[in-house]
Amino acid sequence: MQKFWGTLVALFLAIGTSSAGVGRSNVDLITTIIAGIPHAQFFGLTFNEGRGIAVGAKGAIFESGDAGKSWSQVKESPTRDAFLSVSSRGKYSVAVGQTGLVAVSAGLGKWELGDSGSESRLMVVDVNESGLAFAAGEFGVVLQSSDGGRSWSSSGPDWSSLAIEDHFGTGEPSIYGAWLSNTGQITLAGEYGLIVRSDDAGITWRVLRAMDPKASTLHALFIQGQGTSYAVGQEGELLLSTDGGENWSSRRIATDLNFLGISAAPNGNVVITGMRVMYRSQDAGKTWQPVLEGDTTTDWYQTVRTEAKTGKMYAVGHSGRIIRIGS
């Protein structure tokens, strides 16, 4: 069974050297905003109307009130367990993590625990402006909230109906990527290259990309109605869609390294982060160049996000680091 424990186990994977030789970056792209101690880790990052939130190990929550320029730690985190993902839209901010951990923002610098009703590790969360939220994670767990993350119920496909005979694990695929629209359309991605979608806020589900035991696990989604949508995963897996994620084509990058995050900006800039690897496109995914400066080839960055007001791209990862990519 192909199991990739995403945000946590990824830290301990032994990864080889990239085989992509597209050319070395000749400009300074990486600006370090925060650098913590070696045993600190950030896993999740989000921006919402100039407010930034980064979450990570030991219940760490950092916030920015100036679109990512500066950050301060929330002094009273409601937990010491690891947060693995965070999302913020409208007046709602939700973070999820280990053993079904859920926390919601009650104002700048104030966070309270929610009740997920699950003990499963939650790898990803997304919330929309109405307070609808989806969280998903290990062994196919999918949860839904209608009150901004305070209470949750089970909501997901019938995985057994999608399972592949004689392939243990396809009946409970772990989910690492989620993308929720303000209309309630939710898209999930994960093991075996699976992508599923619900157009009615989790009532019914359809398969956009069927499970394949030989397919790479997908770790992150970036979906937009117009322009190119993206999905990334293991061993350089890169999928592109030009119809809002309905159909996908593989544009795998020549590397054996694992991609963990992706984000795009309106100007055509796209950044992929991962384990000892980072790639950048300046033409909406038509061509890609490896980012080889700093620690991008020796350490890991889990999540990358674009701050909408400034268009600047930020990533979080090892050693409690928050970086800006580009000017």
Side-chain angles (χ1 to χ4, degrees):
M1 177 178 62
Q2 181 192 28
K3 283 292 178 186
F4 182 79
W5 289 105
T7 47
L8 294 184
V9 175
L11 308 182
F12 307 105
L13 290 179
I15 305 295
T17 303
S18 172
S19 60
V22 187
R24 181 176 293 273
S25 168
N26 57 6
V27 295
D28 292 333
L29 289 175
I30 306 299
T31 301
T32 300
I33 309 299
I34 286 182
I37 62 175
H39 294 295
Q41 300 102 21
F42 283 127
F43 300 119
L45 175 66
T46 190
F47 287 99
N48 178 16
E49 296 296 325
R51 181 189 182 191
I53 306 170
V55 299
K58 298 182 180 179
I61 306 173
F62 279 64
E63 295 181 338
S64 170
D66 55 11
K69 294 179 182 178
S70 62
W71 297 77
S72 59
Q73 185 170 10
V74 171
K75 295 181 179 180
E76 296 184 9
S77 173
T79 183
R80 293 289 290 171
D81 290 335
F83 287 113
L84 304 180
S85 179
V86 63
S87 177
S88 181
R89 263 188 280 179
K91 64 180 182 179
Y92 301 99
S93 299
V94 187
V96 301
Q98 288 285 73
T99 60
L101 172 65
V102 170
V104 297
S105 173
L108 192 63
K110 298 179 181 179
W111 288 79
E112 301 171 349
L113 291 180
D115 182 9
S116 73
S118 173
E119 295 184 355
S120 295
R121 181 182 295 152
L122 299 175
M123 303 292 194
V124 65
V125 66
D126 206 6
V127 64
N128 69 15
E129 293 179 355
S130 69
L132 177 67
F134 280 83
E138 64 180 353
F139 303 130
V141 62
V142 180
L143 305 176
Q144 178 184 336
S145 172
S146 59
D147 57 7
R150 294 187 177 277
S151 62
W152 298 79
S153 59
S154 179
S155 175
D158 176 7
W159 296 122
S160 63
S161 68
L162 305 180
I164 301 173
E165 188 176 359
D166 299 326
H167 286 283
F168 179 74
T170 57
E172 50 180 17
S174 291
I175 302 299
Y176 300 105
W179 196 271
L180 175 63
S181 75
N182 276 325
T183 64
Q185 183 185 77
I186 175 68
T187 308
L188 305 175
E191 283 191 301
Y192 313 106
L194 172 73
I195 303 178
V196 296
R197 171 170 284 176
S198 172
D199 301 305
D200 49 17
I203 298 173
T204 60
W205 295 84
R206 54 195 177 91
V207 176
L208 303 183
R209 193 168 188 257
M211 283 187 282
D212 179 349
K214 296 181 180 179
S216 296
T217 292
L218 298 174
H219 291 141
L221 292 168
F222 184 94
I223 295 177
Q224 46 192 351
Q226 296 185 358
T228 305
S229 298
Y230 307 87
V232 295
Q234 286 181 319
E235 297 182 334
E237 181 68 283
L238 168 65
L239 305 180
L240 303 182
S241 172
T242 58
D243 56 8
E246 285 291 323
N247 296 280
W248 297 88
S249 59
S250 179
R251 289 281 303 276
R252 185 181 292 269
I253 292 176
T255 178
D256 58 359
L257 302 178
N258 294 339
F259 293 149
L260 300 177
I262 187 164
S263 187
N267 62 2
N269 284 338
V270 190
V271 170
I272 301 173
T273 56
M275 293 292 298
R276 303 180 187 174
V277 65
M278 183 180 291
Y279 270 82
R280 183 184 188 225
S281 172
Q282 295 177 279
D283 54 14
K286 295 181 177 66
T287 61
W288 296 87
Q289 302 81 38
V291 178
L292 303 174
E293 70 176 81
D295 56 7
T296 60
T297 62
T298 57
D299 275 292
W300 57 273
Y301 287 94
Q302 179 81 31
T303 304
V304 57
R305 291 287 185 264
T306 303
E307 201 290 308
K309 287 188 174 181
T310 64
K312 297 183 184 298
M313 307 182 89
Y314 294 82
V316 297
H318 75 100
S319 304
R321 292 175 66 84
I322 300 177
I323 62 172
R324 187 176 69 243
I325 306 159
S327 59

